[in-house]
């Protein structure tokens, strides 16, 4: 009996704290610095990763994966980014508290390759093209990216020209 009462009290106070916390989250006045960090699957910082806040605001992560946007007004933003050898990301954020830090986890580009191979084996070439094209902006000259792009094209419609392009991209890996 005592455990149920303790549990109910704990649940009530937790709910009350969350409710009060969400009510206290009001927009700040003026402009502030929005900071964040891009990390890999293991939590290590990803350096040289390009991050965009929109409205012409862009940043590049430092050696620790940290990015900084100065003079940002309170509000909602669409954050996106990408980098050489990494998958891109897109997310919506609310910058309502000057003390908030945005954390983004990204996957290495090579994590896409098993997924692409499975799609090719299932003859789902359009899905494979769509998956690889999401990483194009920052990996357009990446040899592995080019190989998988050419592999999809060749498998979808094999001919001699596509075969040559595939073999040339294989040589550059």
């Amino acid at each position: 009996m005592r455990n149920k009462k303790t549990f109910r009290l704990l649940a009530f106070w937790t709910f009350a704290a969350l409710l009060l916390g969400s009510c206290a989250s009001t927009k700040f006045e003026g402009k502030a610095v929005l900071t964040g960090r891009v990390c890999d699957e293991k939590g290590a910082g990803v350096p040289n990763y390009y991050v965009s806040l929109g409205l012409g605001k862009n940043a590049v992560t430092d050696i620790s994966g940290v990015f900084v946007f100065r003079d940002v007004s309170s509000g909602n933003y669409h954050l996106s980014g990408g980098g050489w050898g990494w998958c891109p990301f897109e997310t919506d954020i609310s910058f309502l508290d000057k003390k908030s830090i945005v954390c983004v986890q990204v996957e290495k580009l090579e994590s896409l390759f098993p997924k692409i191979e499975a799609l090719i084996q299932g003859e789902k070439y359009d899905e494979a093209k769509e998956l690889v094209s999401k990483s194009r902006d920052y990996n357009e000259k990446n040899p592995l990216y080019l190989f998988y792009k050419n592999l999809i094209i060749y498998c979808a419609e094999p001919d001699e020209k596509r075969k040559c392009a595939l073999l040339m991209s294989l040589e550059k890996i």
Side-chain angles (χ1 to χ4, degrees):
M1 182 77 165
R2 184 171 169 90
N3 284 341
K4 277 187 177 183
K5 187 175 182 180
T6 304
F7 175 77
R8 286 184 185 154
L9 277 172
L10 181 62
F12 170 78
W13 287 113
T14 302
F15 176 76
L18 290 172
L19 184 63
L20 287 173
S22 66
C23 292
S25 220
T26 58
K27 292 183 175 185
F28 59 85
E29 296 295 321
K31 296 185 178 203
V33 175
L34 171 63
T35 58
R37 185 166 186 260
V38 177
C39 63
D40 66 11
E41 302 90 357
K42 296 179 183 175
V46 176
N48 301 315
Y49 195 91
Y50 295 86
V51 182
S52 174
L53 190 60
L55 307 171
K57 290 191 178 283
N58 300 301
V60 180
T61 58
D62 66 13
I63 196 163
S64 301
V66 175
F67 61 88
V68 177
F69 292 105
R70 301 192 186 292
D71 298 323
V72 179
S73 300
S74 177
N76 297 315
Y77 295 92
H78 184 73
L79 194 66
S80 61
W84 175 274
W86 296 94
C87 294
F89 81 90
E90 289 188 38
T91 189
D92 293 323
I93 63 165
S94 294
F95 184 49
L96 304 175
D97 183 350
K98 289 182 181 182
K99 298 175 187 168
S100 63
I101 297 174
V102 177
C103 295
V104 179
Q105 186 178 29
V106 294
E107 293 181 286
K108 289 186 177 179
L109 181 64
E110 61 196 40
S111 70
L112 292 182
F113 302 150
K115 298 170 190 172
I116 291 169
E117 290 169 7
L119 290 169
I120 290 171
Q121 288 174 352
E123 297 183 5
K124 297 178 181 178
Y125 306 118
D126 289 338
E127 289 179 46
K129 283 179 190 176
E130 185 178 326
L131 186 57
V132 80
S133 72
K134 290 179 181 178
S135 297
R136 185 191 79 226
D137 289 346
Y138 299 95
N139 292 292
E140 201 166 33
K141 295 180 182 177
N142 184 312
L144 282 172
Y145 169 84
L146 291 171
F147 170 74
Y148 275 90
K149 178 183 168 192
N150 287 324
L151 178 64
I152 295 165
I153 292 168
Y154 175 74
C155 290
E157 295 181 49
D159 69 13
E160 206 53 41
K161 182 179 174 186
R162 291 181 177 101
K163 182 179 178 181
C164 287
L166 177 61
L167 292 173
M168 285 177 56
S169 63
L170 183 60
E171 289 176 4
K172 293 179 181 178
I173 295 177

